[in-house]
Amino acid sequence: MAASQAVEEMRGRVVLGEFGVRNVHTTDFPGNYSGYDDAWDQDRFEKNFRVDVVHMDENSLEFDMVGIDAAIANAFRRILLAEVPTMAVEKVLVYNNTSIVQDEILAHRLGLIPIHADPRLFEYRNQGDEDGTEIDTLQFRLQVRCTRNPHAAKDSSDPNELYVNHKVYTRHMTWIPLGNQADLFPEGTIRPVHDDILIAQLRPGQEIDLLMHCVKGIGKDHAKFSPVATASYRLLPDITLLEPVEGEAAEELSRCFSPGVIEVQEVQGKKVARVANPRLDTFSREIFRHEKLKKVVRLARVRDHYIFSVESTGVLPPDVLVSEAIKVLMGKCRRFLDELDAVQMD
């Protein structure tokens, strides 16, 4: 019985010890465990696999993906970071820039501004095409000149009172439709995601006058095309109390974990600790600093239960980004199968 429990732990849990981590590698491949049928079975996979949405708002999404291997989870994360396309500034035509920000630095800053435009409605620009068209390019104009405020108080030292347009924000970027874009996209739909991103600061007489071309691209080519601010996953924590913890030890145990993980209850006049919500724990392993407590708790993570956190830059909603990542992954699988079929035919 003990041997069977040890095998199940090895197959399903990553155990965190005081001086190391056990069962890190996936071992449930065919023939590795006597009495276990680990051959691939689609029906079994479909039965065990599930996706549970835990939280979603305008820019962030947290969901659980259960029943997959680490390779698939990591591939999904990498696709979100580097292979879901967006629109970003690629070319900057500088007509006049007398600010202290050099042209190259200014162009780099403009490229990192997230653009609110659905990339699915655009095509990739052909290599070598300098001008672009309405199907592959968005055009923005930025023209700001700083002047003195004639109504400012003489004894004022506040730049906000002394100068007009001394701060250049993304709200100063004006979309210039190409071709029939004005008919396809209602006013206000093509714009920077945030209108309060500071681009540069000016002083009287300084001016920025430039034209920007936005194209479709992926984060693999440049980080400015990445649609997510963060895309990460972690394994679901599994915290087990090996024996009852009561009294002051229960209070001390609760302080070793993140708030909400360990709950202290009153049971027949005694304080008793229980695991309330292990999902909230960050696994600081503070418990191993307490000699009396470290032997009564087992820290582990569920091997095939991944908690994904996706934070969009605002270009597309996070649920759309996830669905687009799934499409990219499916496309990769189809190409791989086609290559296998081609090899077999040869």
Side-chain angles (χ1 to χ4, degrees):
M1 186 67 177
S4 177
Q5 290 179 349
V7 171
E8 288 296 332
E9 179 182 282
M10 189 180 300
R11 288 167 56 86
R13 295 293 185 272
V14 178
V15 181
L16 283 78
E18 184 175 3
F19 301 108
V21 183
R22 304 197 310 273
N23 309 334
V24 176
H25 302 289
T26 301
T27 57
D28 55 347
F29 47 84
N32 193 44
Y33 294 103
S34 176
Y36 289 89
D37 180 17
D38 289 321
W40 166 256
D41 183 86
Q42 183 172 345
D43 293 334
R44 183 171 58 194
F45 172 79
E46 292 178 356
K47 180 180 179 181
N48 295 331
F49 177 74
R50 73 176 194 272
V51 176
D52 301 325
V53 177
V54 177
H55 169 78
M56 184 173 69
D57 55 33
E58 185 179 359
N59 290 318
S60 64
L61 172 65
E62 181 179 321
F63 63 94
D64 292 359
M65 192 176 288
V66 185
I68 60 171
D69 190 73
I72 303 298
N74 195 48
F76 189 68
R77 179 191 66 86
R78 290 171 66 94
I79 289 172
L80 277 168
L81 287 169
E83 297 190 56
V84 175
T86 64
M87 303 293 289
V89 175
E90 176 70 10
K91 180 182 290 186
V92 180
L93 306 176
V94 181
Y95 299 127
N96 190 15
N97 176 26
T98 55
S99 71
I100 63 171
V101 183
Q102 296 93 335
D103 293 353
E104 295 82 0
I105 304 300
L106 183 60
H108 183 264
R109 290 178 63 83
L110 293 171
L112 295 176
I113 295 172
I115 303 299
H116 188 275
D118 193 336
R120 297 170 294 181
L121 304 178
F122 295 88
E123 302 292 336
Y124 288 100
R125 181 185 283 192
N126 295 325
Q127 190 172 5
D129 188 355
E130 295 293 333
D131 297 329
T133 64
E134 66 269 16
I135 65 172
D136 59 25
T137 303
L138 288 172
Q139 188 169 267
F140 286 88
R141 185 69 181 267
L142 180 62
Q143 188 174 14
V144 181
R145 181 179 178 84
C146 179
T147 59
R148 293 188 179 276
N149 181 9
H151 305 293
K154 292 183 178 181
D155 58 346
S156 176
S157 60
D158 184 2
N160 294 319
E161 296 182 12
L162 291 174
Y163 313 127
V164 178
N165 290 334
H166 75 289
K167 290 185 178 181
V168 182
Y169 290 101
T170 46
R171 68 172 70 100
H172 294 117
M173 294 171 55
T174 305
W175 172 49
I176 301 177
L178 297 175
N180 64 344
Q181 288 182 348
D183 299 327
L184 296 175
F185 306 109
E187 185 178 354
T189 56
I190 305 297
R191 54 177 173 79
V193 172
H194 306 285
D195 64 0
D196 58 350
I197 299 177
L198 182 64
I199 299 174
Q201 294 193 50
L202 305 177
R203 285 299 181 263
Q206 294 180 343
E207 180 181 5
I208 291 179
D209 185 7
L210 51 84
L211 194 67
M212 292 165 275
H213 287 179
C214 302
V215 301
K216 184 176 180 178
I218 57 176
K220 186 189 296 185
D221 296 330
H222 196 288
K224 66 185 178 184
F225 291 112
S226 181
V228 294
T230 59
S232 62
Y233 63 81
R234 60 190 177 98
L235 292 174
L236 177 70
D238 179 33
I239 301 172
T240 305
L241 298 182
L242 303 178
E243 60 184 65
V245 181
E246 302 175 346
E248 291 300 322
E251 295 285 357
E252 189 175 7
L253 180 68
S254 67
R255 291 193 293 268
C256 292
F257 293 90
S258 302
V261 175
I262 301 296
E263 183 180 58
V264 179
Q265 296 178 326
E266 288 281 345
V267 179
Q268 297 180 352
K270 295 182 179 179
K271 293 181 179 179
V272 180
R274 77 173 188 91
V275 180
N277 190 357
R279 184 189 186 93
L280 301 176
D281 194 40
T282 58
F283 275 174
S284 65
R285 294 196 273 192
E286 169 72 15
I287 189 69
F288 293 117
R289 300 179 63 184
H290 301 265
E291 289 294 331
K292 296 181 180 180
L293 296 177
K294 65 182 181 181
K295 296 181 181 180
V296 302
V297 179
R298 188 197 71 164
L299 302 181
R301 290 186 183 272
V302 182
R303 184 184 297 281
D304 65 346
H305 191 135
Y306 294 87
I307 302 174
F308 271 88
S309 297
V310 178
E311 182 181 345
S312 170
T313 59
V315 174
L316 289 172
D319 57 323
V320 175
L321 294 179
V322 170
S323 65
E324 290 299 307
I326 293 173
K327 293 177 184 177
V328 173
L329 184 58
M330 291 172 63
K332 288 176 176 288
C333 295
R334 291 193 192 98
R335 286 194 296 273
F336 179 64
L337 292 175
D338 292 342
E339 290 178 4
L340 289 179
D341 292 339
V343 171
Q344 291 174 0
M345 292 178 63
D346 294 340

